Amino acid sequence: MMDIPWGEPFALIDTNGHSVARVGTIETAHHWLRRKWPTSDTTHRKALDRIEDAMDCMGSVVEARQAFIVAARSAGFVTAELS
């Protein structure tokens, strides 16, 4: 399987200030939402739907990334751009 880049990578930072993940591909975001997400709310489900649509070439990668970031913030994560 080929990883799909979706813009500049960013870090997910937990409430203790620890970086818990480097998110640089849609597959990494999908893995986090399916296996490691701390909440199950509307933003989580919307992000998962957007990511799966984009992975199936039925939706925008940009919208998937934005939905993931919204879900991350809703779950208590901070996102930080990586250089």
Side-chain angles (χ1 to χ4, degrees), residues 35-50:
R35 307 273 184 210
K36 297 185 174 189
W37 213 248
T39 63
S40 182
D41 60 9
T42 304
T43 60
H44 169 259
R45 287 185 296 278
K46 181 177 179 179
L48 190 55
D49 288 344
R50 295 287 185 273

Side-chain angles (χ1 to χ4, degrees), residues 32-80:
W32 266 82
L33 287 168
R34 296 275 297 160
R35 307 273 184 210
K36 297 185 174 189
W37 213 248
T39 63
S40 182
D41 60 9
T42 304
T43 60
H44 169 259
R45 287 185 296 278
K46 181 177 179 179
L48 190 55
D49 288 344
R50 295 287 185 273
I51 285 174
E52 289 177 349
D53 286 349
M55 290 174 80
D56 292 336
C57 299
M58 300 297 290
S60 163
V61 174
V62 171
E63 287 179 14
R65 180 184 170 102
Q66 291 169 341
F68 181 82
I69 290 170
V70 169
R73 292 179 180 153
S74 176
F77 293 108
V78 175
T79 56

